[in-house]
Amino acid sequence: MSALTTRDVPLEIDPEEFRRLGHALIDSVAEFLPSRRTRPVTPFEAPSEVQRLIGADRSLPLEGTDPGELLHDTARLLYDHSLFNGHPRFLGYITASPAPIGMLGDLLAAAVNPNVGSWRLAPVATEIEAQVVRWIAELIGYPTDGGGLLVSGGNMANMVPFFAARRAAADWDIRALGLAHPSARPMRVYASAETHTWLQKAADLSGIGTDAIRWIPTDSELRMDMAALRDAVRTDREAGDLPMMVIGTAGSVSTGAIDPLHDIAAFCRKERIWFHVDGAYGALAAAVPDAPEELRAMALADSVAVDPHKWLYAPLEAGCVLVRDPLHLRDAFSYHPPYYHFGQEAVNFVDFGMQNSRGFRALKVWLQLQHAGRSGYQRMIADDIALAAELYRQVEAHDELQAETLSLSIATFRYVPPSLRGAVGTPDGEARLNALNQALLERVQGSGEVFVSNAVINGRYLLRACVVNLNTRAEDVAAIPEIVARLGREVRRE
Ligand SMILES: *Cc1c(COP(=O)(O)O)cnc(C)c1O
């Protein structure tokens, strides 16, 4: 062992060098952040080009590399070849611009590196995560005496309550006996056809199967049809099936539609079915004083999924589960092997979800909530909503564009050239507009001038802008209609 009294550690960086490298990196990031405005949103390179850039087929280097050079070159690589969701004109999907203090928070979290699976291993970090959960509940008007935890994102924030509801609904020991036990009944879940695809994954992975999902039709505003929900539950009960969960969406991923959450809550209470709200996108809009009234009913849900990496502007990744009664999470996830002796009064997040070792993703969210405060968040979210509304108005006012939907901070629209205006609504005209707008989306994304995504609503292929972006301003929104129309003309000519 004597050879190891001093150790040559290839990953060691001495304190002076760490300081130098860190300062250089922070300087570089500080220059990069404002430069996003003058860069293309994306260089839109082909996979083969990007693979060539990183030398995708070289094998792992045998010897190490100087860390300064490595950090410098890697920063360049990322700045020059990424899609920037923090670009002022990135309005695609639902991916937020990251808050600067969150970036620093991730660095600090990694430096201390607590394992937030158990209180003993992460005393302050555990209490900070519990406080973040309470603060998010407070922000959206959910009871603060419940519980929850942070997870990787919206998919997991929905999936964790799904497993809790599955355990709560079963009147046999489903965790030991599974679904094949003789006393088991087929479980059913109810959600509108606009629900995000996390639901298929959850139904599949939980063993109840995707056929257990009852897809409830929507009304003209893409909200769950309550009469259809009642019928579906009645039919299943008559067949001897077991209704496990009703999912209401607070801000659908394609148009921002909000299900009739008050009615669903009342129905679930009467029928004694778990009421879950997928608020991955829209729940945080409840922080704004003049939020849609329907969002108030989230307070009645057994569980809510929220995504801090959406409307709290946290750098990826951060999702948040809220539950009315944390014992349901413990019932669904906890095992107590003999090597875990953490005591009772402390929270051990290992007992409340799927992960064992857990990172300190709460820190960036905790810092951000305090940096902006409640009023700061109200202003930022309200501004995003106002910018989407302004985009919708400008699209409406543009001759060659047709505005389609506006809800929360999502506006949908399409390009309709004058020559096809008369054909709107006819099968042939709609087919041609769909093909045209599909080609246009590719052109818009490839242009790097602005980035939007798409939605398909009632058979119509639409462009879709979602503002969850601290860097977007009125001038950005004002530029979009003419960019889209100009590129639309190009595509139409070809
Ligand atoms: C974004 C979103 C999800 C999925 O969240 P991820 O963070 O991407 O995993 C689920 N549901 C809704 C309504 C969403 O907007």
Side-chain angles (χ1 to χ4, degrees):
M1 290 302 284
S2 61
L4 293 181
T5 49
T6 65
R7 208 177 143 188
D8 173 22
V9 178
L11 279 177
E12 194 51 85
I13 295 179
D14 73 48
E16 265 321 301
E17 193 183 10
F18 188 88
R19 191 187 309 274
R20 204 171 44 70
L21 295 177
H23 284 177
L25 182 63
I26 292 290
D27 283 344
S28 150
V29 172
E31 274 169 38
F32 156 69
L33 293 176
S35 82
R36 286 175 297 187
R37 179 165 278 285
T38 54
R39 292 169 182 266
V41 183
T42 166
F44 210 64
E45 293 156 312
S48 58
E49 247 170 298
V50 182
Q51 287 155 12
R52 188 186 50 75
L53 276 167
I54 68 156
D57 49 13
R58 69 192 163 122
S59 55
L60 172 68
L62 177 63
E63 300 298 338
T65 303
D66 174 71
E69 235 173 86
L70 200 52
L71 283 169
H72 176 269
D73 294 351
T74 304
R76 281 265 83 75
L77 173 76
L78 293 172
Y79 300 158
D80 292 343
H81 302 281
S82 293
L83 175 147
F84 305 121
N85 46 38
H87 192 290
R89 295 191 181 178
F90 176 84
L91 305 174
Y93 308 104
I94 309 180
T95 299
S97 61
I101 197 167
M103 304 170 196
L104 297 173
D106 262 354
L107 175 62
L108 180 57
V112 179
N113 201 33
N115 184 336
V116 200
S118 84
W119 196 95
R120 184 71 52 82
L121 293 176
V124 192
T126 299
E127 296 303 339
I128 284 177
E129 178 161 340
Q131 186 166 53
V132 163
V133 168
R134 282 193 298 275
W135 279 350
I136 290 175
E138 193 180 329
L139 193 57
I140 69 165
Y142 193 71
T144 52
D145 58 355
L149 78 168
L150 294 196
V151 291
S152 56
N155 260 38
M156 290 305 291
N158 284 298
M159 215 173 284
V160 165
F162 186 95
F163 275 84
R166 174 178 167 275
R167 164 70 182 78
D171 45 17
W172 68 98
D173 183 1
I174 192 170
R175 293 182 69 192
L177 303 171
L179 292 168
H181 190 260
S183 63
R185 287 182 288 151
M187 295 193 155
R188 305 296 179 207
V189 298
Y190 307 83
S192 97
E194 291 295 305
T195 307
H196 189 279
T197 51
W198 69 265
L199 180 55
Q200 281 102 319
K201 290 189 182 180
D204 171 3
L205 294 172
S206 68
I208 73 167
T210 53
D211 284 355
I213 305 168
R214 300 305 194 218
W215 296 106
I216 309 300
T218 51
D219 63 16
S220 61
E221 291 181 53
L222 303 170
R223 298 170 310 192
M224 183 185 283
D225 177 341
M226 285 305 297
L229 172 64
R230 287 189 197 96
D231 282 351
V233 170
R234 186 179 333 107
T235 306
D236 283 341
R237 285 214 200 274
E238 283 166 9
D241 298 351
L242 184 56
M244 171 193 128
M245 179 188 228
V246 179
I247 296 137
T249 295
S252 70
V253 73
S254 59
T255 65
I258 302 170
D259 278 328
L261 301 179
H262 282 287
D263 290 349
I264 298 175
F267 176 73
C268 286
R269 186 170 321 126
K270 185 165 73 64
E271 293 282 333
R272 298 172 163 277
I273 306 174
W274 186 292
F275 172 34
H276 172 71
V277 174
D278 178 2
Y281 161 52
L284 288 155
V288 174
D290 58 354
E293 163 58 25
E294 209 59 77
L295 292 178
R296 305 287 163 229
M298 286 190 299
L300 306 169
D302 295 291
S303 54
V304 181
V306 188
D307 235 353
H309 67 208
K310 288 180 177 169
W311 240 341
L312 286 182
Y313 316 98
L316 294 160
E317 303 161 340
C320 178
V321 176
L322 300 174
V323 287
R324 177 173 297 279
D325 180 357
L327 286 180
H328 283 302
L329 293 181
R330 203 187 290 252
D331 282 350
F333 292 106
S334 178
Y335 291 98
H336 289 289
Y339 51 86
Y340 282 146
H341 293 293
F342 295 133
Q344 280 309 303
E345 79 284 5
V347 167
N348 298 301
F349 281 113
V350 63
D351 289 329
F352 292 90
M354 303 204 193
Q355 278 183 279
N356 188 64
S357 291
R358 302 172 72 252
F360 193 11
R361 50 169 69 94
L363 183 61
K364 60 193 168 194
V365 184
W366 193 67
L367 291 169
Q368 291 184 207
L369 285 166
Q370 293 175 92
H371 182 198
R374 176 191 275 269
S375 73
Y377 268 104
Q378 287 172 337
R379 196 168 341 121
M380 295 185 288
I381 293 169
D383 286 350
D384 280 346
I385 292 172
L387 285 164
E390 179 56 24
L391 175 60
Y392 186 85
R393 279 201 316 106
Q394 301 212 11
V395 164
E396 259 186 326
H398 197 289
D399 277 355
E400 294 154 276
L401 301 177
Q402 185 179 49
E404 201 74 33
T405 66
L406 172 68
S407 183
L408 298 176
S409 69
I410 297 179
T412 64
F413 55 95
R414 63 180 177 172
Y415 174 63
V416 179
S419 57
L420 283 178
R421 217 171 288 154
V424 167
T426 68
D428 178 56
E430 290 297 321
R432 288 163 68 188
L433 285 168
N434 282 356
L436 180 57
N437 279 278
Q438 201 162 348
L440 174 56
L441 179 75
E442 185 81 0
R443 181 66 58 99
V444 170
Q445 292 187 345
S447 75
E449 293 183 64
V450 57
F451 195 99
V452 296
S453 49
N454 77 293
V456 178
I457 303 300
N458 301 323
R460 290 184 170 184
Y461 191 98
L462 305 170
L463 305 187
R464 169 187 169 288
C466 175
V467 189
V468 187
N469 194 328
L470 300 169
N471 304 316
T472 305
R473 300 205 250 288
E475 69 190 76
D476 300 305
V477 155
I480 292 172
E482 193 43 40
I483 294 172
V484 172
R486 168 166 50 79
L487 297 172
R489 275 175 235 129
E490 270 180 38
V491 173
R492 174 79 175 143
R493 262 201 308 279
E494 292 158 19

